[in-house]
Amino acid sequence: MNKRSFMLGLMVVASSVLSACGSGENEESAAESGNTITISLMHRYQESNIGKSPEDTAVLDGLKRFREDYPDIEIIEEQLQNEDYSIKAQALAAADDMPDVFIVPGSWMTNFVDNEIVLPLDKELDKRPEWRDGYRAGTLDAGTREGQIYGIPIAAGPTHLIYYNADLFASIGYDQFPASWTDLMDAGDKLAEKGINLFSYGDKSKGYAMSSWISALTDRINGPEWTESILNGDGAKFTDEGFIQGIGIMSELAKAGYLNKDLNSVDNDTMVNYYFEGRSAAFVSGIWSAMNIVNNAPDEIKASTRVAVFPGVENGLGNPLSSSGGAGVYYSVNSGVEAGEKLDAIMTMLEYMTGSDSAKLMAEVGGFPAYDPGDFDTGKLHPVALAAYEASAAADATKIFDLWFDASIVEVLNTGIQGVMAGSRTPEQLAEETQQAYETFLNQP
């Protein structure tokens, strides 16, 4: 089989027979080509997390199926822990020595595109329209620059969901999560009388406030146009009233005593444990926390947990059901990989790891895939995981600031919000500091 026919064979398999596991035809085709394709792959998914993490489970299952279907394609795989991956990937990128395929967080994408480390994938995706068009709206965005797609998303979903104890709220007269900020503050007051925090909160490692609170609140008040204006340098400012109001809401919750006092010195794990211990009635987090509750919460907490989103803000310009979310991590291809057999094999491998079958498996084990899984067996999900999935699917995804804003702005916000929550800084001061960082960024040559 010549090069052209081998390429065509991969495309046909990718578009129409993804489920043909262990196909003898595939093995025969690879053998007939007489060529050995080697793909180096570096990522941060772990065999030890299969069955525990929906992403790890689905991605590694896809890779296993690809290996079974294409035994003559050699994959040199390196699995790294998150922190180790971040250090090594950035070092390899600086040395222009990245593997063929690797993970790129959305916040790195501009740098990787500007430095021509990653390959535009539009032409390859155009060959596979069924796969390309199966991604949920917005999930390709953070992997796209100036209209070119540089990353294949894996998982998506809100970074802002509220997991709450329905029994505790019922005990203060609320048969559902408060539907207005007035009711929410009333609930906070009544819970405080019982010695229970409204929310547990943990921003020790910085980034939690931005990811799970600020991005969603700002959109509620300002609407998505404000964020787009900031990103495009079209006139919106961090000193605009709506941004200050969003930070002010967070500040008021802290000043009222509705959050744990050690909010800046505990991490997300401790924050969730406070909820498990009944020290708080709710916590704000992403869809990933659903399976933490299912796997680790005491039975009575698990049984009483429900899922909601923030109430709308009076006169807010955004969708009151929106949630900050989208895909945060992407598979990208080394810009040195040329079009041909190897790139075709890589794209087929990525379809196995992130496409339809992988998405369905991810949904069935409690994840929220970037690729729409369509109908899947919801009977396998615990009610908490199903509620988180349904809330995620119903929400309009708005941009997560830390994936889109320049790192210099993110750092000012991440540090400054800790001061606001501790009461040493006002929302207005943080807004001024962030605006200064923004203007410095805009004025860069």
Side-chain angles (χ1 to χ4, degrees), residues 410-428:
V410 169
E411 177 59 27
V412 170
L413 268 171
N414 279 342
T415 301
I417 190 63
Q418 289 191 327
V420 170
M421 299 304 283
S424 63
R425 215 185 229 103
T426 67
E428 289 80 4

Side-chain angles (χ1 to χ4, degrees), residues 162-165 168-169 172 174 177-178 180-193 195-201 213 249 252-254 256-260 274-275 278-284 310-311:
I162 296 172
Y163 298 91
Y164 70 98
N165 185 323
L168 285 179
F169 277 91
I172 57 170
Y174 288 90
F177 194 78
S180 71
W181 287 98
T182 299
D183 285 348
L184 188 63
M185 297 299 278
D186 174 69
D189 200 37
K190 291 175 177 174
L191 287 164
E193 292 175 0
I196 299 170
N197 290 314
L198 174 60
F199 293 109
S200 51
Y201 183 105
W213 288 74
I249 286 173
E252 288 302 313
L253 290 169
Y258 299 160
L259 311 178
N260 44 296
Y274 284 173
Y275 175 76
R279 296 169 63 176
S280 72
F283 68 96
V284 182
F310 275 140

Side-chain angles (χ1 to χ4, degrees), residues 160 181 213-227 237-252 310-324 398 401 427:
H160 155 80
W181 287 98
W213 288 74
I214 298 174
S215 303
L217 276 173
T218 301
D219 184 83
R220 286 278 198 291
I221 300 166
N222 287 331
E225 292 78 11
W226 181 87
T227 306
K237 297 180 179 180
F238 286 97
T239 49
D240 290 342
E241 183 179 347
F243 182 76
I244 296 173
Q245 184 184 352
I247 301 298
I249 286 173
M250 298 176 64
S251 174
E252 288 302 313
F310 275 140
V313 177
E314 189 175 358
N315 299 320
L317 301 177
N319 181 348
L321 292 178
S322 67
S323 173
S324 52
T398 62
F401 288 178

Side-chain angles (χ1 to χ4, degrees), residues 342-356:
K342 182 168 182 174
L343 184 54
D344 274 319
I346 287 172
M347 296 303 290
T348 302
M349 179 183 75
L350 293 179
E351 186 172 1
Y352 270 66
M353 295 168 72
T354 69
S356 176

Side-chain angles (χ1 to χ4, degrees), residues 359-434:
K360 198 174 292 292
L361 175 60
M362 192 186 298
E364 288 176 349
V365 294
F368 195 80
Y371 193 97
D372 188 344
D375 294 332
F376 65 95
D377 185 1
T378 58
K380 297 180 180 179
L381 291 178
H382 185 278
V384 172
L386 180 58
Y389 184 91
E390 291 176 341
S392 302
D396 280 348
T398 62
K399 286 184 166 60
I400 312 166
F401 288 178
D402 39 337
L403 290 183
W404 288 92
F405 292 168
D406 184 76
S408 60
I409 301 168
V410 169
E411 177 59 27
V412 170
L413 268 171
N414 279 342
T415 301
I417 190 63
Q418 289 191 327
V420 170
M421 299 304 283
S424 63
R425 215 185 229 103
T426 67
E428 289 80 4
Q429 287 173 322
L430 174 57
E432 287 285 353
E433 292 164 0
T434 310

